[in-house]
Amino acid sequence: MLDFRRMIREDCLEKEDAFCTSECPFHLDVREFVKKVSRGSFNSAYRMYANAVGFPAIVSELCERPCEGACPRRDLDGAVALRMLEAASVRYASNTKPNNYNLPAKEGRIAIVGGGPGGLACALRLANKKYRVTICDMSSKLGGGLPRAMDPGVVLRELELQFMYESYSFVPDLEVTDIEAFASSYDAVYISTGNGGADFGFSGEGPFPMATRLPGVFIGEETAGASPVRRIACGLRAATVIESYIKTGVMKGAAAVPHTRMILDPEALRHSPPVAPLDGELYSKEEAAREASRCVRCRCDACVRHCGLMAYYSKFPKRLEEEIEATINPGTLDGNGTIVTRFISTCNQCGLCGTICPKGIDIGEVLRASHEALSEKGAMPWAFHEFWLRDMDSAYAERSSLAAPPPRRERAGSVFFPGCQLGASNPEYVTEAYRYILDKKPDTGIALMCCGAPAAWAADGAKHSESVRAIREAFDRLGSSEAILACPTCMDMFARYLPGIKTVLLYDVMALWGVPAVQGGGTVSVFDPCSARHKPLTRLSVRKILVESGHELEPLPYEGARAQCCSWGGQISTTAPNYSKWLVNNRVSEGDKPYVVYCSNCRDIFAGSGKPAKHILDVLFGLGDWTRRPPTQSERRRNRVFLKRALLREYWQGTEQGDEENMRRLVINGDLREKLDRNRMLEEDVLSTIESCEKSGRVIIDTQTSRRFGHGAVGSMTYWVEYSLTEDGYELTNAYSHRMAIEMEDIGNGRKDA
Amino acid sequence: MGEKMPSAPGKLTCGLCGVPLELIKAQFGYLGHKFHTEVPRCPKCGQVFISEELARGRMAEVETLLEDK
C-alpha cells in the first residue's frame, strides 16, 4: 500500500497543467478561462485574462498562440481558437477598467531600464503594488516596438487604460551605460532593453527573469531574442521576483516551470468541428461560447472517468490519499474525521483503476490495504460485511459443504471447485457441469466450499486463513493439487492465497473438450466479469464456445482488460446500497443485447434488475432462461443444502433428508419475502427468532389484533418479528432489523425506583 | 405487506407479565457508543418494544452517522 500511496503523491497526474497552460508564457488557467467564456461570462473571463497577461488588448492580438500548437484537438479537428476567445473576452467585457486598490505606498524604489513591452509590464505590476517605479528609455516614447507591431492607437489606449490608477516616473532619452552606478540609486533594477539592447554583460540561458551578479539587478528574456508577448510575460514575472528580493534581500531569479506530464484519456476527445466567425475576424458572443465548449479542459482523469466509485463520489486519487491517511490515523483522540471509512469498504476490488491509470496506480490496492488497516484497529463497522461473512459460514456448514473423491475412487486427479455462489444460484449449474466433467475426466472429485473471497473483502484475516486452511486440507485429503474452477473470482483467490494448487477454469476446458449441442443462438454481448481482466484465454474460450454454438457477439464498451464489476465485488451492497444500485443500472445500460456472463453473481444481479442475462452454463446445458428470477438470499442457502444432497444421492448413495418440514411451519407471503430479501433477512433466521421468543415467552402482544412481536439477536443484528400463531406454526406479518443493540434489557426497566 | 406503521404502545402488553407497555428509558449501544431514549417497555420486567418506524427511521439514521463518524 505504501508504494501505491507514494505513487499517488509523486506520480498521479491529476494536478498537472493542461497542455495549453503549460505552453502559455503567462501560464493562463485555460480550463477556467474557457469555462467562463462557454457560459457567456465575458466580464469574469476578461478579468481573469487581464490579471494573467497585464495588457489584454495587446496580448490577444500579438500572441503567437503556442497553446494552439499543444491543443490535443489540433490533429483531430482543429485546435480550440484560444486567442480569438481571448479577443472576444476583451471585446465583450462590459467593464474593462482595472481595479483601483487603495493600498499604502511602498518604500522600494525600482528602476526599469527599457520602456518596451517587458519594462511596461513589470512597471504595471510594481505600480499596482504601489512601489515607486521609474522607467528609463533611450527614446522619447514608451512602448518600444509595440506601435510598429500593431495599431498604435490600440497600444496607446491600452497603456492609458491599464495605468489609469497608477503612477510612475518616465525618464526619456536616457541611455544607461554604467549599470552598477545606475543601480546604486535604486533598491532594485529590471533590465528590459529589448532585442539588440544592452545586456551589460549579464548574458545567460535563463530561466528569465534572471538574477545578475549585482545585488538587486535582474534581467529579462528580451536580450535573448524573445517576442513582445514573451517579454510582457517575463516583465510580469520580474515584478514578483523583484518584490521578493525587496522583502527578503535574497537574489533569486524565476524558477523553471516544469513541462506538464499530463496524459489525456483518448476517450476525452469527441469530434467537434471548429467554429468559424461569421464576420471572418471576431467571434460573436454565441460563437465564442460554442468554440469555448469545444475545449475538453484537458486533465488526466482516466480513473474518475472509468471507475464508478471515484466518479460517483467525485474523488481524485490525491484527495483520496489524504482522506485515507486522516481516516486510518485520525488527528483526534475520539477518532473524528474518519471520513472515508465507508468509501474504503465500497470498492469492488475490480482492478480497473490500475489498468486504466497511465501510471498504473491501483487505488483498489490502496483501499484494500486501508480496509485491512482499519479492520485491524477494529474501526471498520461490523455491519458492512457481517451478512456476507455469515453467508460464508453457511457455505462451510456441514449441511452445505462437501469434499468428495471421484465416484467409486479414493483419490482425485483433479477437483471440481464450483465456488459457493454457483450452486446457490442454481444447483443444476453444478450438477450438470460435474456430470459433464466426469464424462470427460472421471478422476475428478468435487469440493463445495467457499474460496474465502468474502473474508478477504471484509479484511477478516482470521476467517480468511481458516478458509484457506480448509481448502488446502480438503485438496490434501483428496490427494489432488489441481482444481477445475467455475468462478473467475475463486481463481484469483487461489492464485493469491493457494499458489500450490494448479487451477483452470471450466470454460477453458470446455472450449478444449468440446461442448454439448446448443439450442438457440442470436446476438448477445459477453459481459466479462472483472475477475477475467487478466484471463485473456478464458475470455477467448467463452467467445469461441458462443460463436461455435451459433451466437453472434456484439462488443460492449467495457470488456476484456477493461472489464467492469457487476457490483458484486467487495460485497458492497450493504455498505453503499444506493451506489450499488447506480452501478448496476449503468452496467445493464451499456449494451442493448442480452448479456451472456460466466460469473453467476453477474447473472443474478443483472437478471434481478430486469436485464435479460444467462450464465454460459444456461446456454450450454439448456438450463435457466433469459429472465429467470434470481433466488432470494434465503433460497440461495437452501439451494446449497439441496445441491449437497443431490450430489450425495447421485454419486455416493446419500439418503440425507432436509429440514424443509420445519420451514413449512412458517407462512410468509410473496411481498414480505421480497422485503426480507431486500433487507438481507433470512427466513430461517426469522423462524429461529420466533421460536426463541415463543420458547422464552418474551413476546409483546397487540391486544387489538392478537399479533405477537418479539426480537432476537442474529449475529450482531437484532431481528424483530411480528406474527400470528396458526394451527401448526406461525404466519409472519412483518419483520425488520436494526444494528444498534438493546442493552441491559434483562437487568431492569430503567426506572430509578425499579 | 409493505413498510407498515407500528401499533400504538397503549395497545401493547408484555406477554410475560400481562401488563401494558409504557414509555420508559432504555439503553442502546452501537460501535462503542451508548444512548438512552424512551421506548415502549414493560414496567415490570423491562422488555422493550422497537417499532419498525423507529428501527428504520431514527435508529437507522444514528447507525449511519456512527458508521461514518
Side-chain angles (χ1 to χ4, degrees):
Chain A
M1 166 162 92
L2 286 176
D3 268 0
F4 278 118
R5 286 185 63 184
R6 184 189 49 73
M7 280 175 77
I8 294 175
R9 284 195 297 272
E10 294 173 8
D11 299 340
C12 174
L13 305 178
E14 175 219 340
K15 304 276 188 200
E16 290 290 304
D17 287 328
F19 303 111
C20 45
T21 298
S22 184
E23 291 297 321
C24 175
F26 301 94
H27 223 74
L28 176 69
D29 184 351
V30 176
R31 287 187 283 233
E32 202 51 39
F33 175 77
V34 293
K35 196 159 105 187
K36 293 174 190 297
V37 176
S38 67
R39 63 168 189 255
S41 304
F42 290 99
N43 273 332
S44 171
Y46 172 82
R47 191 64 52 196
M48 186 183 174
Y49 182 56
N51 285 341
V53 305
F55 301 113
I58 296 171
V59 175
S60 67
E61 187 161 336
L62 294 183
C63 184
E64 297 90 354
R65 299 176 290 169
C67 51
E68 294 183 21
C71 179
R73 276 210 173 282
R74 192 183 63 162
D75 297 329
L76 178 71
D77 45 22
V80 174
L82 201 54
R83 197 179 73 188
M84 285 173 65
L85 295 179
E86 292 161 2
S89 80
V90 175
R91 171 70 182 76
Y92 299 121
S94 58
N95 176 17
T96 54
K97 278 188 185 173
N99 291 330
N100 183 14
Y101 296 107
N102 185 18
L103 295 174
K106 299 234 170 60
E107 283 301 313
R109 293 174 66 246
I110 297 147
I112 289 165
V113 183
L120 285 168
C122 183
L124 175 66
R125 276 293 173 273
L126 290 170
N128 288 152
K129 294 175 179 183
K130 310 304 176 193
Y131 286 99
R132 281 188 288 164
V133 178
T134 303
I135 307 175
C136 316
D137 200 278
M138 284 166 64
S139 75
S140 57
K141 286 182 181 168
L142 285 171
L146 279 178
R148 289 188 298 280
M150 59 186 285
D151 180 349
V154 173
V155 174
L156 192 61
R157 279 196 299 279
E158 180 70 348
L159 295 182
E160 278 175 358
L161 178 70
Q162 301 304 337
F163 279 101
M164 68 186 289
Y165 299 121
E166 311 304 349
S167 58
Y168 60 92
S169 314
F170 176 46
V171 184
D173 305 318
L174 174 69
E175 182 172 4
V176 177
T177 48
D178 183 346
I179 191 71
E180 198 166 351
F182 176 79
S184 63
S185 312
Y186 296 95
D187 295 302
V189 174
Y190 180 51
I191 302 167
S192 178
T193 47
N195 283 336
D199 67 4
F200 306 100
F202 299 132
S203 59
E205 291 184 356
F208 295 97
M210 229 171 46
T212 71
R213 58 185 156 71
L214 283 185
V217 179
F218 297 84
I219 187 163
E221 189 177 6
E222 50 259 58
T223 52
S227 70
V229 167
R230 292 191 71 88
R231 279 183 257 161
I232 292 175
C234 191
L236 296 175
R237 286 197 298 278
T240 310
V241 165
I242 287 169
E243 184 174 39
S244 163
Y245 167 74
I246 286 178
K247 283 180 176 169
T248 65
V250 178
M251 277 298 284
K252 203 172 155 192
V257 180
H259 199 265
T260 185
R261 300 178 299 158
M262 220 244 301
I263 298 173
L264 185 67
D265 190 89
E267 289 184 22
L269 289 175
R270 295 269 183 275
H271 186 73
S272 171
V275 177
L278 262 185
D279 79 351
E281 281 186 24
L282 187 68
Y283 281 135
S284 68
K285 286 182 179 178
E286 182 272 333
E287 285 168 341
R290 267 198 294 136
E291 178 65 9
S293 303
R294 291 180 66 232
C295 173
V296 294
R297 294 173 213 163
C298 296
R299 179 176 208 185
C300 184
D301 61 358
C303 46
V304 175
R305 189 176 286 276
H306 300 290
C307 162
L309 183 62
M310 284 192 266
Y312 187 83
Y313 292 98
S314 301
K315 282 187 195 274
F316 273 88
K318 278 186 192 278
R319 179 175 151 201
L320 257 180
E321 200 272 331
E322 288 165 7
E323 292 183 351
I324 286 171
E325 173 60 27
T327 300
I328 298 177
N329 301 309
T332 57
L333 285 176
D334 64 358
N336 279 342
T338 55
I339 30 193
V340 280
T341 306
R342 189 181 298 275
F343 186 95
I344 286 171
S345 191
T346 305
C347 173
N348 291 124
Q349 293 290 310
C350 77
L352 179 60
C353 52
T355 304
I356 46 91
C357 171
K359 291 290 183 181
I361 300 171
D362 193 326
I363 305 291
E365 276 299 304
V366 176
L367 295 173
R368 191 181 62 77
S370 309
H371 199 148
E372 282 170 6
L374 281 180
S375 294
E376 270 170 31
K377 291 173 71 174
M380 187 56 80
W382 55 263
F384 292 172
H385 286 276
E386 188 187 69
F387 179 85
W388 303 109
L389 293 173
R390 292 186 68 238
D391 187 56
M392 184 172 159
D393 288 343
S394 106
Y396 270 105
E398 173 66 27
R399 60 186 185 156
S400 313
S401 68
L402 177 69
R408 296 171 302 283
R409 291 174 196 237
E410 286 185 2
R411 292 175 71 80
S414 309
V415 176
F416 178 36
F417 189 102
C420 60
Q421 299 299 339
L422 190 73
S425 173
N426 181 359
E428 283 187 300
Y429 286 149
V430 178
T431 53
E432 292 304 308
Y434 191 43
R435 187 169 299 121
Y436 168 88
I437 294 170
L438 284 178
D439 182 47
K440 310 284 183 189
K441 194 173 183 307
D443 67 340
T444 308
I446 187 162
L448 302 181
M449 304 171 107
C450 167
C451 69
W457 288 333
D460 186 330
K463 198 178 275 294
H464 186 256
S465 306
E466 206 180 305
S467 152
V468 170
R469 196 168 50 245
I471 296 171
R472 199 178 287 124
E473 281 172 10
F475 275 74
D476 286 349
R477 210 163 50 245
L478 298 174
S480 169
S481 58
E482 282 182 21
I484 300 175
L485 306 172
C487 165
T489 297
C490 293
M491 197 168 189
D492 281 350
M493 292 291 147
F494 272 66
R496 188 173 254 200
Y497 303 108
L498 291 154
I501 298 176
K502 201 174 138 200
T503 57
V504 63
L505 274 168
L506 174 62
Y507 321 106
D508 290 315
V509 295
M510 289 184 101
L512 200 66
W513 292 344
V515 294
V518 180
Q519 305 293 316
T523 306
V524 298
S525 291
V526 177
F527 186 97
D528 290 311
C530 49
S531 41
R533 181 180 324 288
H534 302 300
K535 301 178 182 62
L537 285 178
T538 305
R539 301 198 305 257
L540 272 178
S541 296
V542 168
R543 285 164 174 80
K544 177 173 176 272
I545 293 171
L546 284 170
V547 170
E548 283 177 3
S549 58
H551 293 83
E552 284 180 21
L553 304 182
E554 187 159 297
L556 290 171
Y558 287 90
E559 57 178 29
R562 289 169 24 120
Q564 293 175 311
C565 177
C566 62
S567 83
W568 172 267
Q571 294 176 318
I572 63 164
S573 60
T574 316
T575 313
N578 291 336
Y579 165 65
S580 191
K581 276 181 213 145
W582 175 85
L583 208 59
V584 177
N585 284 338
N586 280 350
R587 300 295 175 264
V588 298
S589 319
E590 277 159 15
D592 298 337
K593 299 289 180 281
Y595 289 171
V596 175
V597 301
Y598 42 112
C599 163
S600 65
N601 300 315
C602 297
R603 213 257 21 140
D604 288 343
I605 281 174
F606 295 152
S609 73
K611 173 81 183 173
K614 275 189 184 183
H615 193 278
I616 190 158
L617 297 177
D618 286 316
V619 178
L620 296 178
F621 297 125
L623 301 174
D625 62 23
W626 293 105
T627 55
R628 176 176 68 90
R629 178 185 67 79
T632 63
Q633 291 298 331
S634 302
E635 288 166 331
R636 297 180 82 88
R637 301 221 181 166
R638 292 201 282 272
N639 280 346
R640 287 192 191 126
V641 178
F642 174 88
L643 170 62
K644 176 180 178 180
R645 286 211 312 269
L647 286 168
L648 287 177
R649 262 200 312 273
E650 185 166 352
Y651 300 107
W652 294 280
Q653 291 81 47
T655 53
E656 207 177 315
Q657 294 300 312
D659 57 355
E660 289 86 350
E661 278 309 310
N662 193 40
M663 278 310 289
R664 276 192 204 109
R665 299 176 62 222
L666 178 65
V667 177
I668 310 175
N669 75 31
D671 288 349
L672 187 53
R673 234 177 248 282
E674 275 179 28
K675 176 181 170 182
L676 292 180
D677 194 47
R678 221 171 29 246
N679 296 329
R680 302 265 184 264
M681 295 177 76
L682 297 176
E683 292 160 23
E684 63 178 33
D685 290 335
V686 165
L687 179 58
S688 305
T689 306
I690 295 176
E691 285 173 333
S692 148
C693 291
E694 287 299 317
K695 196 172 164 195
S696 66
R698 287 185 73 83
V699 291
I700 288 160
I701 299 163
D702 185 323
T703 49
Q704 282 192 336
T705 61
S706 301
R707 279 190 188 147
R708 303 162 84 79
F709 294 87
H711 69 280
V714 174
S716 306
M717 298 288 290
T718 301
Y719 269 36
W720 280 89
V721 287
E722 180 188 338
Y723 58 98
S724 313
L725 300 177
T726 62
E727 252 177 48
D728 52 358
Y730 317 100
E731 183 181 354
L732 190 72
T733 41
N734 196 16
Y736 47 93
S737 63
H738 50 79
R739 299 171 183 182
M740 216 176 265
I742 303 167
E743 295 184 337
M744 302 207 292
E745 190 181 15
D746 295 333
I747 291 173
N749 62 9
R751 286 180 166 173
K752 282 186 181 157
D753 58 354
Chain B
M1 184 53 53
E3 336 282 297
K4 64 197 285 295
M5 292 292 287
S7 309
K11 298 166 196 160
L12 299 175
T13 58
C14 174
L16 276 176
C17 311
V19 295
L21 303 192
E22 295 173 22
L23 282 176
I24 301 172
K25 202 173 264 187
Q27 180 174 314
F28 299 89
Y30 187 49
L31 302 178
H33 299 263
K34 306 257 176 247
F35 325 88
H36 295 88
T37 190
E38 283 192 346
V39 291
R41 213 173 167 186
C42 171
K44 284 180 82 175
C45 72
Q47 185 179 191
V48 166
F49 173 73
I50 305 292
S51 67
E52 181 173 25
E53 185 194 28
L54 182 61
R56 295 169 63 89
R58 184 67 189 136
M59 268 174 116
E61 273 172 32
V62 174
E63 287 164 1
T64 305
L65 280 174
L66 291 174
E67 285 160 4
D68 289 333
K69 189 169 161 16

